[in-house]
Amino acid sequence: MSVFVTVGTTQFDALVEAVTSKAFIARIAASGITQLTVQHGTSEPQNNIMENTPLRLTLFDYSQSLHEHMSTASIVISHAGAGSLLECLRLKKCTIAVPNATLMHNHQAQLADRMHQDKLVVSCICDPDSLADLIVDRNKNVLSQLDPGAWDRDRDPLAGSRNVMRVLEKLVQ
């Protein structure tokens, strides 16, 4: 099983620190995760993270497309940016959305909370223990109840299932 983490085009030091911490990596590896790929943007991963890692770890700053990384991952941990979350929905991915509270107006929290209420993603605080708990107990917690396939942009591209597009439109106005 694999986990892909993306911070998008902005800096999100707290998320990169959380998912590159030795404790986080050890816990998810013990739960059966064999690959962790982290798109870290301008944030710097923790020092010496590549040493004695119990799983395959790939780190990169940016890529022309995150589609391949997202599509091959079992679980995606994403900043709660609209573009990244919509891509996760299109790919029907089990997604943990982590709002970047340092961004203006905390718009990511609003989007993540709404999508969490609709069981399209799981909104989580940026804490290594909370993130690891979701992955370690993935078959017993809210991750197992997600229904990213419920969003059908082809059926109703303006509203989407559960009004996701209307929420996005309100946030960008």
Side-chain angles (χ1 to χ4, degrees), residues 93-107:
K93 287 295 161 180
C94 180
T95 304
I96 301 170
V98 182
N100 186 344
T102 64
L103 297 180
M104 193 169 58
H105 304 301
N106 210 15
H107 66 281

Side-chain angles (χ1 to χ4, degrees), residues 5 10 13-14 27 43 46 78 88 110 112 120 172:
V5 181
T10 62
D13 294 340
R27 285 192 64 205
S43 298
Q46 296 193 22
S78 178
C88 290
Q110 294 170 330
L120 298 170
V172 297

Side-chain angles (χ1 to χ4, degrees), residues 48-115:
N48 303 321
I49 193 60
M50 300 301 273
E51 295 175 9
N52 300 318
T53 301
L55 45 68
R56 288 188 317 274
L57 178 62
T58 305
L59 304 168
F60 63 94
D61 54 3
Y62 296 104
S63 176
Q64 288 286 17
S65 171
L66 299 179
H67 179 85
E68 182 178 334
H69 297 286
M70 284 183 178
S71 63
T72 59
S74 307
I75 298 170
V76 176
I77 299 174
S78 178
H79 69 112
S84 295
L85 292 181
L86 285 175
E87 184 66 13
C88 290
L89 289 176
R90 285 184 192 111
L91 295 170
K92 297 177 176 30
K93 287 295 161 180
C94 180
T95 304
I96 301 170
V98 182
N100 186 344
T102 64
L103 297 180
M104 193 169 58
H105 304 301
N106 210 15
H107 66 281
Q108 287 192 358
Q110 294 170 330
L111 178 60
D113 289 347
R114 177 57 191 259
M115 293 176 83

Side-chain angles (χ1 to χ4, degrees), residues 76-169:
V76 176
I77 299 174
S78 178
H79 69 112
S84 295
L85 292 181
L86 285 175
E87 184 66 13
C88 290
L89 289 176
R90 285 184 192 111
L91 295 170
K92 297 177 176 30
K93 287 295 161 180
C94 180
T95 304
I96 301 170
V98 182
N100 186 344
T102 64
L103 297 180
M104 193 169 58
H105 304 301
N106 210 15
H107 66 281
Q108 287 192 358
Q110 294 170 330
L111 178 60
D113 289 347
R114 177 57 191 259
M115 293 176 83
H116 180 96
Q117 289 172 6
D118 290 344
K119 294 186 178 174
L120 298 170
V121 304
V122 173
S123 182
C124 184
I125 60 171
C126 191
D127 170 71
D129 289 330
S130 298
L131 290 164
D133 287 346
L134 285 171
I135 293 170
V136 169
D137 296 328
R138 63 189 166 272
N139 295 323
K140 301 176 200 163
N141 62 29
V142 70
L143 275 183
S144 67
Q145 300 168 14
L146 286 183
D147 188 11
W151 182 71
D152 185 355
R153 70 183 177 120
D154 294 326
R155 183 174 50 86
D156 187 0
L158 293 178
S161 177
R162 302 181 180 154
N163 299 313
V164 171
M165 291 305 291
R166 288 191 187 121
V167 171
L168 291 175
E169 288 170 356

